[in-house]
Amino acid sequence: MKVISISKVKDYKEKDIQVNGWVYSIRRSGKIGFLSIRDGSGILQCIVEKASVGDELFDLFKSLTQESSLTVFGKIVENPRAVGGYELLLSQLKVHQLTSNYPISPKEHGPDFLMNHRHLWLRSKRQHAILRVRHEIVKSIRNFFDENDFTLVDTPIFTPNSAEGTSTLFETDYFDTKAYLCQTGQLYGEASAMAFGKHYNFGPCFRAEKSKTRRHLTEFWMVEPEIAYCEIKENMDWAEKLLIYIVKNVLSNKLEELKTLGRDLEKLKVCTSSFPRVSYSECIEILNKSGNNIKWGEDFGSPEETFIAEQYEKPVIVYGFPSKIKAFYMKRDPENDKVVLGMDILAPEGYGEIVGGSERETDLNILLERIEEEKLDKSDYEWFLDLRKFGSVPHSGFGMGLERVVAWICGLSHIRETIPFARTMTRLNP
Ligand code: 4AD
Ligand code: MG
C-alpha cells in the first residue's frame, strides 16, 4: 500500500492507502472509534468500526494515547463533516510506540511550562500554524529578492566589528583574541553591493538585549538587502514592495493557518497597497499635540512607536531621524546635517519596528569622525573604509526582522512563539 501525506488524501478517494503519523485525539461512541492522526501535513480522522476490524484491533485502538506513533491502513472516503472533507475507514493499525504521560494536554498551560516543553509544543496546532506561516514568509523573502535580481551573499557570524552599538554585543573568545557575534551583516553587505550591485543576506543575528520585552530576542533572523546606486526614497520603495509581497503571499497560501490563529484578515488585507511616509519631525509634532511629551532629538520608546503606528492602518515609514540617535554609517541629510537619511517601518497594531534602514554615508571624513565619536576602534573598520576609497557610490539598504514580521502577520502577543527555539535573556533551553 502507498504511504500518503494527509494533505494529499483527497487524491485517493475510494483507494486503500497507508498514513504514518501520531495520535492527535481519540473518541469513542459505543462500537465506533474516532481516531484523529496528524502527520505534519494535516489531520485525518480515521473511523474504527468494531464490527469490521474485530475485537483485537478494536482493543488496540482503545489502548492508544495522545502522541503515540502509528501507521494506519484503510480506504479514503468523502465525508463533508470531517476536517478536510475526507476520512479513512481503518482496516489495519500498526503501533510504533505507545506514549504514556505526554506532558502537554489539551488543558491550559502557562507560557513558562510551554516554553520549557518547546520541543514537544511544536506539535500543537497553533505552533504548527505559526511556523508554517514563518516558512511562507521566508520563502516569499527569497523569491522576492531572487525575482528582482538580487544575489544572496552570506555574511559572517564571527566579526571584529560592532555596527549597531557596543552595548548589545555578544563577545566570545577567538583563539588569542576576541570576536563578536554579528549584530547585522550590513557592513559586509555593503562590500557585496559594490561587487554585485544588488545584494542580500539572510541569516541569524545576535544581540545581548538585556531587557525582557515582547519584541526582543537575543538570536533573531534578519534579511538585509544592500543596493548600489540607490538613494533613500528608492530604498523605502524596496522595503514597501517586499512587505506587500509577503503579506499577499501569506494571504493566498496560508489562509488556513491564519484562520487557525484567529487572525483578523481584514487588518492584513489593507496592508497590500502603498504605505504612509512621515518624517521624524512630524511624529514629534503629532506626539506633542496629543500630550506625549517628547523633545526633538529624543529617541522613540515603545509607547511613542505604538502611538505613531496607531495613527495608521498600514505599516508607516518614518524617516529623517536626528543623527545623534542613529548608527554611525547613516548618511547625513545634505540639507540638514542634524538629520540622517534613515528610515524605520513601524507595523500596525502595536507590533513596533519591523524594518530599519538608511542611505549610507559615503564621505570618508564624516565616517571617520563618526567612528571616533562612537569610540570605535578605527583599525577594525579599515576594510570598510576601503569601500569609500575605491569606487564609492550612493547606496542604501535595510534590515527586516523576520520574527517581528511573523508576530505581526500571525497577530501574536509575544515574539517567543515566532521562532522554533527562542533565545532570550532568560532562556537558552531547550
Ligand atoms: O534597526 P536595526 O538595528 O538595523 C540594522 O541592524 C541595520 N544594520 C539593518 C540594515 O540596514 N541592513 O535592525 C533591523 C531590524 C529591526 O527593525 C527589527 O525588526 C529587527 O531587526 N530586530 C530585532 N528583532 C528581534 N529581536 C531583536 N533583539 C531585534 N533587534 C532588531
Ligand atoms: Mg532600528
Side-chain angles (χ1 to χ4, degrees), residues 239-422:
E240 179 182 276
K241 273 192 267 184
L242 170 65
L243 283 165
I244 291 174
Y245 184 87
I246 292 172
V247 173
K248 282 187 176 167
N249 272 304
V250 176
L251 280 171
S252 27
N253 303 328
K254 288 290 174 280
L255 207 53
E256 274 312 309
E257 284 78 0
L258 292 176
K259 284 183 188 157
T260 296
L261 297 168
R263 185 65 169 113
D264 183 341
L265 299 178
E266 294 310 313
K267 293 221 159 94
L268 289 180
K269 284 182 192 158
V270 295
C271 302
T272 53
S273 57
S274 64
F275 305 158
R277 299 180 184 194
V278 44
S279 72
Y280 167 89
S281 298
E282 289 170 282
C283 288
I284 293 295
E285 248 176 66
I286 297 172
L287 285 163
N288 279 310
K289 263 193 205 141
S290 50
N292 297 273
N293 275 327
I294 178 165
K295 286 194 205 72
W296 198 97
E298 289 173 0
D299 204 357
F300 300 148
S302 141
E304 287 83 22
E305 246 178 44
T306 305
F307 187 85
I308 296 295
E310 272 170 0
Q311 311 306 306
Y312 310 91
E313 284 187 306
K314 302 182 192 185
V316 52
I317 308 182
V318 183
Y319 61 89
F321 293 94
S323 32
K324 286 257 163 16
I325 59 169
K326 287 291 181 186
F328 76 92
Y329 55 72
M330 291 195 184
K331 185 178 171 68
R332 299 268 171 98
D333 185 340
E335 276 152 35
N336 175 5
D337 72 359
K338 290 201 167 45
V339 163
V340 284
L341 301 176
M343 60 119 174
D344 281 355
I345 303 187
L346 308 180
E349 303 171 71
Y351 284 95
E353 184 197 318
I354 48 176
V355 168
S358 75
E359 187 168 335
R360 316 307 188 187
E361 185 56 77
T362 45
D363 185 312
L364 189 59
N365 291 327
I366 296 182
L367 269 177
L368 284 167
E369 215 176 88
R370 291 289 287 127
I371 285 173
E372 205 161 293
E373 263 173 34
E374 300 282 327
K375 301 192 175 62
L376 300 169
D377 186 345
K378 189 186 146 205
S379 67
D380 292 333
Y381 296 83
E382 290 295 356
W383 68 268
F384 178 70
L385 297 171
D386 268 358
L387 305 173
R388 308 304 193 257
K389 294 178 194 159
F390 306 112
S392 179
V393 300
H395 64 288
S396 303
F398 62 87
M400 188 190 85
L402 175 62
E403 289 76 17
R404 299 253 181 106
V405 171
V406 175
W408 160 52
I409 291 185
C410 291
L412 309 179
S413 60
H414 202 292
I415 199 164
R416 66 186 159 220
E417 291 176 71
T418 61
I419 185 162
F421 295 94

Side-chain angles (χ1 to χ4, degrees), residues 42-105:
I43 291 172
L44 177 68
Q45 172 165 280
C46 309
I47 306 296
V48 194
E49 255 185 288
K50 192 172 181 177
S52 76
V53 300
D55 289 354
E56 202 182 320
L57 196 59
F58 200 72
D59 285 344
L60 181 59
F61 155 73
K62 285 200 302 195
S63 73
L64 290 175
T65 49
Q66 191 191 349
E67 289 304 318
S68 289
S69 44
L70 77 182
T71 298
V72 294
F73 304 82
K75 187 194 280 178
I76 291 296
V77 295
E78 215 167 347
N79 176 2
R81 280 173 305 155
V83 189
Y86 293 86
E87 61 190 15
L88 180 137
L89 302 180
L90 189 128
S91 57
Q92 195 46 266
L93 175 66
K94 185 178 164 206
V95 178
H96 303 289
Q97 189 191 37
L98 208 55
T99 292
S100 49
N101 304 322
Y102 184 69
I104 303 179
S105 57

Side-chain angles (χ1 to χ4, degrees), residues 164 184 186 207 209 217 222 224 329 353-354 360 399 401:
E164 299 299 332
T184 166
Q186 180 194 320
R207 294 191 194 179
E209 304 282 0
L217 294 165
M222 185 162 34
E224 298 179 276
Y329 55 72
E353 184 197 318
I354 48 176
R360 316 307 188 187

